[in-house]
Amino acid sequence: AISSFKGALSAAPESVDAHMCLGNILQKLTRHEDAIACFERALSLAPDNSGALNNLGYSLVALNRPQRAVELYQQAIAITPENAEFHNNLGNAYEQLRLPEKAVASYENALALDPLHSNALSHLSSGKRKMCDWDGMEKIDETIIDHVKGDRVAISPFSFLTVTDDPALQLSCASQFQKSHQTGKPFPSPTVTATGRKKLRVGYFSDTFRRHAISYLIVQLLELHDRSRFEICGFSYSPDDQSPIRRRIEASFDAFHDVSQQGDDELAHSLQASDLDILVDLNGHTDGSRLSVLARRPAPIQAHFLGYPGTLGADFIDYLFVDEYLVPRDQAHRYAENLIWLPDSYQVNDRKRAIAETTPSRADCGLPADGFVFCCFNQTSKITPSQFDIWMRLLQTIPGSVLWLL
């Protein structure tokens, strides 16, 4: 397709449609810088092309440049105000700018135009929770659950985790979402063969090899792998943030590959060419996920670990590492994967984590000198009204107690 559209542009260099189509293909391949050039060229020829404004904004958000994207989406909406996708994408840009009130308003506008817009519905739910704005949440949750039960709208499994703790519904949600987002054909079924290598080759695949919670948790595990039995490879599709944890992560692998500039097909072929025995995904259905790459089956055995605490609902993920707190054994049938129960806790950590030289006092933290301190350092989106009711009853029952939130 790229070759064909480049040929079209050679014949008609001022074809807005050809610039747009080429940009769309490059965008699907996650070649966003190249896509941006196409959309900007289209806009130089047709400044009021709302599609070009929207698509340019999408690639800018993908490259973490939301401020300009907001301006472009606003221009697109001014030209085509009835387009729900434009309002939804504006919400995504506001969300990246950490402006949840504006994001929620944009998602509400999108849903007013298209009540079945799945991204807007998912993000409206999570956006209101981030603000602990629970007015109307019960109705929103009921709508989302009805959509999942009726298989009408592909809801984000990550946002659905805070809607209900019903494992059967979570499996349905994940399966529906995965089917609707799966692109690209799988490679011919790989087989595990005797390669003659002494060591099994294990790959870890993630966009979290940077200043991210997953890196702080997993880095010593990578360092402690038994090198007499395993060869450990890292595949990072996030840009290098030059952080100390990134440098330590890189050093923890026998081979580290920065694949952040590769599209899905190219990346899947790179993984396949690495001749892995086992490929471990660390993102699941969280931000930055590229499960579409794993859907192509670049490795004979594929597993998920640590990043996402639920089922991925995908037939190309063979195993999920869990513990008996994360997944009670009587709920195993609610998971699409084969489950591997780790002893004690599935969540690794790093014993080398630096501890502060000084311990702050209660006063330093704005806490009272006496009284029991209840703490919740989760993101606010994980706080539910029912949990908050319990906490308030505790505070009323226990004199002098306080609640300390992140």
Side-chain angles (χ1 to χ4, degrees), residues 30 111 135 146 178 196 257 278 287 309 315 318 335 374 378 382:
T30 66
L111 288 167
D135 288 342
D146 285 343
Q178 188 52 49
H257 307 275
I278 303 169
D287 287 344
D315 59 6
D318 305 299
Y335 285 71
F374 292 100
N378 282 298
K382 298 181 182 180

mmCIF file with all atom_site columns, all heavy atoms in Angstrom, residues 30 111 135 146 178 196 257 278 287 309 315 318 335 374 378 382:
data_model
loop_
_atom_site.group_PDB
_atom_site.id
_atom_site.type_symbol
_atom_site.label_atom_id
_atom_site.label_alt_id
_atom_site.label_comp_id
_atom_site.label_asym_id
_atom_site.label_entity_id
_atom_site.label_seq_id
_atom_site.pdbx_PDB_ins_code
_atom_site.Cartn_x
_atom_site.Cartn_y
_atom_site.Cartn_z
_atom_site.occupancy
_atom_site.B_iso_or_equiv
_atom_site.pdbx_formal_charge
_atom_site.auth_seq_id
_atom_site.auth_comp_id
_atom_site.auth_asym_id
_atom_site.auth_atom_id
_atom_site.pdbx_PDB_model_num
ATOM 1   N N   . THR A 1 30  ? 2.572   2.385   13.145 1.00 0.00 ? 30  THR A N   1
ATOM 2   C CA  . THR A 1 30  ? 3.159   3.154   14.248 1.00 0.00 ? 30  THR A CA  1
ATOM 3   C C   . THR A 1 30  ? 4.380   3.958   13.814 1.00 0.00 ? 30  THR A C   1
ATOM 4   O O   . THR A 1 30  ? 5.222   4.302   14.639 1.00 0.00 ? 30  THR A O   1
ATOM 5   C CB  . THR A 1 30  ? 3.512   2.254   15.460 1.00 0.00 ? 30  THR A CB  1
ATOM 6   O OG1 . THR A 1 30  ? 4.563   1.349   15.115 1.00 0.00 ? 30  THR A OG1 1
ATOM 7   C CG2 . THR A 1 30  ? 2.298   1.485   15.945 1.00 0.00 ? 30  THR A CG2 1
ATOM 8   N N   . LEU A 1 111 ? -20.249 10.750  23.441 1.00 0.00 ? 111 LEU A N   1
ATOM 9   C CA  . LEU A 1 111 ? -21.329 9.795   23.694 1.00 0.00 ? 111 LEU A CA  1
ATOM 10  C C   . LEU A 1 111 ? -22.694 10.386  23.360 1.00 0.00 ? 111 LEU A C   1
ATOM 11  O O   . LEU A 1 111 ? -23.624 9.644   23.005 1.00 0.00 ? 111 LEU A O   1
ATOM 12  C CB  . LEU A 1 111 ? -21.289 9.338   25.148 1.00 0.00 ? 111 LEU A CB  1
ATOM 13  C CG  . LEU A 1 111 ? -20.116 8.407   25.483 1.00 0.00 ? 111 LEU A CG  1
ATOM 14  C CD1 . LEU A 1 111 ? -19.956 8.263   26.985 1.00 0.00 ? 111 LEU A CD1 1
ATOM 15  C CD2 . LEU A 1 111 ? -20.304 7.044   24.828 1.00 0.00 ? 111 LEU A CD2 1
ATOM 16  N N   . ASP A 1 135 ? -21.019 10.966  40.999 1.00 0.00 ? 135 ASP A N   1
ATOM 17  C CA  . ASP A 1 135 ? -22.381 11.288  40.582 1.00 0.00 ? 135 ASP A CA  1
ATOM 18  C C   . ASP A 1 135 ? -22.665 10.628  39.231 1.00 0.00 ? 135 ASP A C   1
ATOM 19  O O   . ASP A 1 135 ? -21.935 10.833  38.255 1.00 0.00 ? 135 ASP A O   1
ATOM 20  C CB  . ASP A 1 135 ? -22.569 12.805  40.457 1.00 0.00 ? 135 ASP A CB  1
ATOM 21  C CG  . ASP A 1 135 ? -22.609 13.487  41.805 1.00 0.00 ? 135 ASP A CG  1
ATOM 22  O OD1 . ASP A 1 135 ? -22.840 12.789  42.804 1.00 0.00 ? 135 ASP A OD1 1
ATOM 23  O OD2 . ASP A 1 135 ? -22.386 14.705  41.862 1.00 0.00 ? 135 ASP A OD2 1
ATOM 24  N N   . ASP A 1 146 ? -24.164 -3.849  30.837 1.00 0.00 ? 146 ASP A N   1
ATOM 25  C CA  . ASP A 1 146 ? -25.153 -4.302  29.853 1.00 0.00 ? 146 ASP A CA  1
ATOM 26  C C   . ASP A 1 146 ? -24.510 -4.485  28.480 1.00 0.00 ? 146 ASP A C   1
ATOM 27  O O   . ASP A 1 146 ? -24.833 -5.439  27.753 1.00 0.00 ? 146 ASP A O   1
ATOM 28  C CB  . ASP A 1 146 ? -26.303 -3.296  29.751 1.00 0.00 ? 146 ASP A CB  1
ATOM 29  C CG  . ASP A 1 146 ? -27.254 -3.368  30.944 1.00 0.00 ? 146 ASP A CG  1
ATOM 30  O OD1 . ASP A 1 146 ? -27.210 -4.380  31.676 1.00 0.00 ? 146 ASP A OD1 1
ATOM 31  O OD2 . ASP A 1 146 ? -28.023 -2.411  31.150 1.00 0.00 ? 146 ASP A OD2 1
ATOM 32  N N   . GLN A 1 178 ? -10.371 -8.054  22.921 1.00 0.00 ? 178 GLN A N   1
ATOM 33  C CA  . GLN A 1 178 ? -9.252  -8.598  22.162 1.00 0.00 ? 178 GLN A CA  1
ATOM 34  C C   . GLN A 1 178 ? -9.663  -8.937  20.734 1.00 0.00 ? 178 GLN A C   1
ATOM 35  O O   . GLN A 1 178 ? -8.947  -8.642  19.775 1.00 0.00 ? 178 GLN A O   1
ATOM 36  C CB  . GLN A 1 178 ? -8.687  -9.841  22.863 1.00 0.00 ? 178 GLN A CB  1
ATOM 37  C CG  . GLN A 1 178 ? -7.406  -10.364 22.247 1.00 0.00 ? 178 GLN A CG  1
ATOM 38  C CD  . GLN A 1 178 ? -6.357  -9.283  22.110 1.00 0.00 ? 178 GLN A CD  1
ATOM 39  O OE1 . GLN A 1 178 ? -6.069  -8.534  23.047 1.00 0.00 ? 178 GLN A OE1 1
ATOM 40  N NE2 . GLN A 1 178 ? -5.774  -9.161  20.928 1.00 0.00 ? 178 GLN A NE2 1
ATOM 41  N N   . GLY A 1 196 ? 19.349  -27.426 19.482 1.00 0.00 ? 196 GLY A N   1
ATOM 42  C CA  . GLY A 1 196 ? 20.765  -27.692 19.736 1.00 0.00 ? 196 GLY A CA  1
ATOM 43  C C   . GLY A 1 196 ? 21.365  -26.723 20.730 1.00 0.00 ? 196 GLY A C   1
ATOM 44  O O   . GLY A 1 196 ? 22.513  -26.893 21.153 1.00 0.00 ? 196 GLY A O   1
ATOM 45  N N   . HIS A 1 257 ? 17.106  -5.119  23.018 1.00 0.00 ? 257 HIS A N   1
ATOM 46  C CA  . HIS A 1 257 ? 16.754  -4.599  21.704 1.00 0.00 ? 257 HIS A CA  1
ATOM 47  C C   . HIS A 1 257 ? 15.760  -3.450  21.859 1.00 0.00 ? 257 HIS A C   1
ATOM 48  O O   . HIS A 1 257 ? 14.688  -3.624  22.439 1.00 0.00 ? 257 HIS A O   1
ATOM 49  C CB  . HIS A 1 257 ? 16.120  -5.697  20.841 1.00 0.00 ? 257 HIS A CB  1
ATOM 50  C CG  . HIS A 1 257 ? 16.943  -6.946  20.750 1.00 0.00 ? 257 HIS A CG  1
ATOM 51  N ND1 . HIS A 1 257 ? 17.968  -7.099  19.829 1.00 0.00 ? 257 HIS A ND1 1
ATOM 52  C CD2 . HIS A 1 257 ? 16.906  -8.104  21.471 1.00 0.00 ? 257 HIS A CD2 1
ATOM 53  C CE1 . HIS A 1 257 ? 18.511  -8.296  19.978 1.00 0.00 ? 257 HIS A CE1 1
ATOM 54  N NE2 . HIS A 1 257 ? 17.898  -8.923  20.975 1.00 0.00 ? 257 HIS A NE2 1
ATOM 55  N N   . ILE A 1 278 ? 10.437  -18.871 24.594 1.00 0.00 ? 278 ILE A N   1
ATOM 56  C CA  . ILE A 1 278 ? 9.333   -18.337 25.397 1.00 0.00 ? 278 ILE A CA  1
ATOM 57  C C   . ILE A 1 278 ? 9.359   -16.813 25.299 1.00 0.00 ? 278 ILE A C   1
ATOM 58  O O   . ILE A 1 278 ? 10.424  -16.190 25.424 1.00 0.00 ? 278 ILE A O   1
ATOM 59  C CB  . ILE A 1 278 ? 9.449   -18.753 26.884 1.00 0.00 ? 278 ILE A CB  1
ATOM 60  C CG1 . ILE A 1 278 ? 9.494   -20.275 27.020 1.00 0.00 ? 278 ILE A CG1 1
ATOM 61  C CG2 . ILE A 1 278 ? 8.300   -18.184 27.705 1.00 0.00 ? 278 ILE A CG2 1
ATOM 62  C CD1 . ILE A 1 278 ? 9.883   -20.751 28.412 1.00 0.00 ? 278 ILE A CD1 1
ATOM 63  N N   . ASP A 1 287 ? -1.845  0.699   29.472 1.00 0.00 ? 287 ASP A N   1
ATOM 64  C CA  . ASP A 1 287 ? -1.389  1.677   28.491 1.00 0.00 ? 287 ASP A CA  1
ATOM 65  C C   . ASP A 1 287 ? -0.111  1.187   27.817 1.00 0.00 ? 287 ASP A C   1
ATOM 66  O O   . ASP A 1 287 ? 0.781   0.643   28.462 1.00 0.00 ? 287 ASP A O   1
ATOM 67  C CB  . ASP A 1 287 ? -1.123  3.027   29.163 1.00 0.00 ? 287 ASP A CB  1
ATOM 68  C CG  . ASP A 1 287 ? -2.404  3.737   29.554 1.00 0.00 ? 287 ASP A CG  1
ATOM 69  O OD1 . ASP A 1 287 ? -3.470  3.345   29.050 1.00 0.00 ? 287 ASP A OD1 1
ATOM 70  O OD2 . ASP A 1 287 ? -2.334  4.675   30.374 1.00 0.00 ? 287 ASP A OD2 1
ATOM 71  N N   . PRO A 1 309 ? -3.411  -7.581  36.073 1.00 0.00 ? 309 PRO A N   1
ATOM 72  C CA  . PRO A 1 309 ? -3.797  -8.587  37.060 1.00 0.00 ? 309 PRO A CA  1
ATOM 73  C C   . PRO A 1 309 ? -4.990  -9.460  36.684 1.00 0.00 ? 309 PRO A C   1
ATOM 74  O O   . PRO A 1 309 ? -5.462  -10.241 37.506 1.00 0.00 ? 309 PRO A O   1
ATOM 75  C CB  . PRO A 1 309 ? -4.144  -7.735  38.283 1.00 0.00 ? 309 PRO A CB  1
ATOM 76  C CG  . PRO A 1 309 ? -4.701  -6.480  37.688 1.00 0.00 ? 309 PRO A CG  1
ATOM 77  C CD  . PRO A 1 309 ? -3.913  -6.234  36.428 1.00 0.00 ? 309 PRO A CD  1
ATOM 78  N N   . ASP A 1 315 ? -6.459  -15.962 22.790 1.00 0.00 ? 315 ASP A N   1
ATOM 79  C CA  . ASP A 1 315 ? -6.079  -17.350 22.562 1.00 0.00 ? 315 ASP A CA  1
ATOM 80  C C   . ASP A 1 315 ? -4.601  -17.517 22.222 1.00 0.00 ? 315 ASP A C   1
ATOM 81  O O   . ASP A 1 315 ? -4.120  -18.642 22.101 1.00 0.00 ? 315 ASP A O   1
ATOM 82  C CB  . ASP A 1 315 ? -6.939  -17.965 21.451 1.00 0.00 ? 315 ASP A CB  1
ATOM 83  C CG  . ASP A 1 315 ? -6.823  -17.222 20.121 1.00 0.00 ? 315 ASP A CG  1
ATOM 84  O OD1 . ASP A 1 315 ? -5.989  -16.295 20.007 1.00 0.00 ? 315 ASP A OD1 1
ATOM 85  O OD2 . ASP A 1 315 ? -7.575  -17.569 19.189 1.00 0.00 ? 315 ASP A OD2 1
ATOM 86  N N   . ASP A 1 318 ? -0.567  -18.228 26.224 1.00 0.00 ? 318 ASP A N   1
ATOM 87  C CA  . ASP A 1 318 ? -0.694  -19.601 26.726 1.00 0.00 ? 318 ASP A CA  1
ATOM 88  C C   . ASP A 1 318 ? -0.742  -19.676 28.241 1.00 0.00 ? 318 ASP A C   1
ATOM 89  O O   . ASP A 1 318 ? -1.454  -20.508 28.803 1.00 0.00 ? 318 ASP A O   1
ATOM 90  C CB  . ASP A 1 318 ? 0.490   -20.446 26.219 1.00 0.00 ? 318 ASP A CB  1
ATOM 91  C CG  . ASP A 1 318 ? 0.604   -20.403 24.709 1.00 0.00 ? 318 ASP A CG  1
ATOM 92  O OD1 . ASP A 1 318 ? -0.346  -20.834 24.036 1.00 0.00 ? 318 ASP A OD1 1
ATOM 93  O OD2 . ASP A 1 318 ? 1.641   -19.908 24.197 1.00 0.00 ? 318 ASP A OD2 1
ATOM 94  N N   . TYR A 1 335 ? -10.505 -17.826 33.444 1.00 0.00 ? 335 TYR A N   1
ATOM 95  C CA  . TYR A 1 335 ? -9.329  -17.272 32.779 1.00 0.00 ? 335 TYR A CA  1
ATOM 96  C C   . TYR A 1 335 ? -9.092  -18.000 31.462 1.00 0.00 ? 335 TYR A C   1
ATOM 97  O O   . TYR A 1 335 ? -9.220  -19.227 31.387 1.00 0.00 ? 335 TYR A O   1
ATOM 98  C CB  . TYR A 1 335 ? -8.099  -17.380 33.687 1.00 0.00 ? 335 TYR A CB  1
ATOM 99  C CG  . TYR A 1 335 ? -8.129  -16.361 34.804 1.00 0.00 ? 335 TYR A CG  1
ATOM 100 C CD1 . TYR A 1 335 ? -9.032  -16.491 35.852 1.00 0.00 ? 335 TYR A CD1 1
ATOM 101 C CD2 . TYR A 1 335 ? -7.309  -15.251 34.775 1.00 0.00 ? 335 TYR A CD2 1
ATOM 102 C CE1 . TYR A 1 335 ? -9.109  -15.540 36.852 1.00 0.00 ? 335 TYR A CE1 1
ATOM 103 C CE2 . TYR A 1 335 ? -7.368  -14.292 35.780 1.00 0.00 ? 335 TYR A CE2 1
ATOM 104 C CZ  . TYR A 1 335 ? -8.274  -14.437 36.809 1.00 0.00 ? 335 TYR A CZ  1
ATOM 105 O OH  . TYR A 1 335 ? -8.345  -13.488 37.783 1.00 0.00 ? 335 TYR A OH  1
ATOM 106 N N   . PHE A 1 374 ? -4.988  5.270   58.611 1.00 0.00 ? 374 PHE A N   1
ATOM 107 C CA  . PHE A 1 374 ? -5.340  4.372   57.510 1.00 0.00 ? 374 PHE A CA  1
ATOM 108 C C   . PHE A 1 374 ? -4.752  4.948   56.223 1.00 0.00 ? 374 PHE A C   1
ATOM 109 O O   . PHE A 1 374 ? -4.825  6.161   56.003 1.00 0.00 ? 374 PHE A O   1
ATOM 110 C CB  . PHE A 1 374 ? -6.867  4.260   57.360 1.00 0.00 ? 374 PHE A CB  1
ATOM 111 C CG  . PHE A 1 374 ? -7.533  3.547   58.497 1.00 0.00 ? 374 PHE A CG  1
ATOM 112 C CD1 . PHE A 1 374 ? -8.166  4.265   59.507 1.00 0.00 ? 374 PHE A CD1 1
ATOM 113 C CD2 . PHE A 1 374 ? -7.534  2.157   58.563 1.00 0.00 ? 374 PHE A CD2 1
ATOM 114 C CE1 . PHE A 1 374 ? -8.801  3.612   60.559 1.00 0.00 ? 374 PHE A CE1 1
ATOM 115 C CE2 . PHE A 1 374 ? -8.164  1.496   59.610 1.00 0.00 ? 374 PHE A CE2 1
ATOM 116 C CZ  . PHE A 1 374 ? -8.792  2.221   60.619 1.00 0.00 ? 374 PHE A CZ  1
ATOM 117 N N   . ASN A 1 378 ? -3.133  3.888   46.355 1.00 0.00 ? 378 ASN A N   1
ATOM 118 C CA  . ASN A 1 378 ? -3.512  3.561   44.986 1.00 0.00 ? 378 ASN A CA  1
ATOM 119 C C   . ASN A 1 378 ? -3.926  4.824   44.239 1.00 0.00 ? 378 ASN A C   1
ATOM 120 O O   . ASN A 1 378 ? -4.219  5.855   44.843 1.00 0.00 ? 378 ASN A O   1
ATOM 121 C CB  . ASN A 1 378 ? -4.707  2.594   44.981 1.00 0.00 ? 378 ASN A CB  1
ATOM 122 C CG  . ASN A 1 378 ? -4.299  1.177   45.297 1.00 0.00 ? 378 ASN A CG  1
ATOM 123 O OD1 . ASN A 1 378 ? -3.519  0.568   44.577 1.00 0.00 ? 378 ASN A OD1 1
ATOM 124 N ND2 . ASN A 1 378 ? -4.817  0.642   46.383 1.00 0.00 ? 378 ASN A ND2 1
ATOM 125 N N   . LYS A 1 382 ? -9.054  3.750   41.498 1.00 0.00 ? 382 LYS A N   1
ATOM 126 C CA  . LYS A 1 382 ? -9.297  2.437   42.091 1.00 0.00 ? 382 LYS A CA  1
ATOM 127 C C   . LYS A 1 382 ? -10.154 2.527   43.361 1.00 0.00 ? 382 LYS A C   1
ATOM 128 O O   . LYS A 1 382 ? -10.481 1.497   43.951 1.00 0.00 ? 382 LYS A O   1
ATOM 129 C CB  . LYS A 1 382 ? -7.964  1.744   42.401 1.00 0.00 ? 382 LYS A CB  1
ATOM 130 C CG  . LYS A 1 382 ? -7.128  1.492   41.152 1.00 0.00 ? 382 LYS A CG  1
ATOM 131 C CD  . LYS A 1 382 ? -5.823  0.793   41.477 1.00 0.00 ? 382 LYS A CD  1
ATOM 132 C CE  . LYS A 1 382 ? -4.992  0.588   40.218 1.00 0.00 ? 382 LYS A CE  1
ATOM 133 N NZ  . LYS A 1 382 ? -3.703  -0.092  40.488 1.00 0.00 ? 382 LYS A NZ  1
#
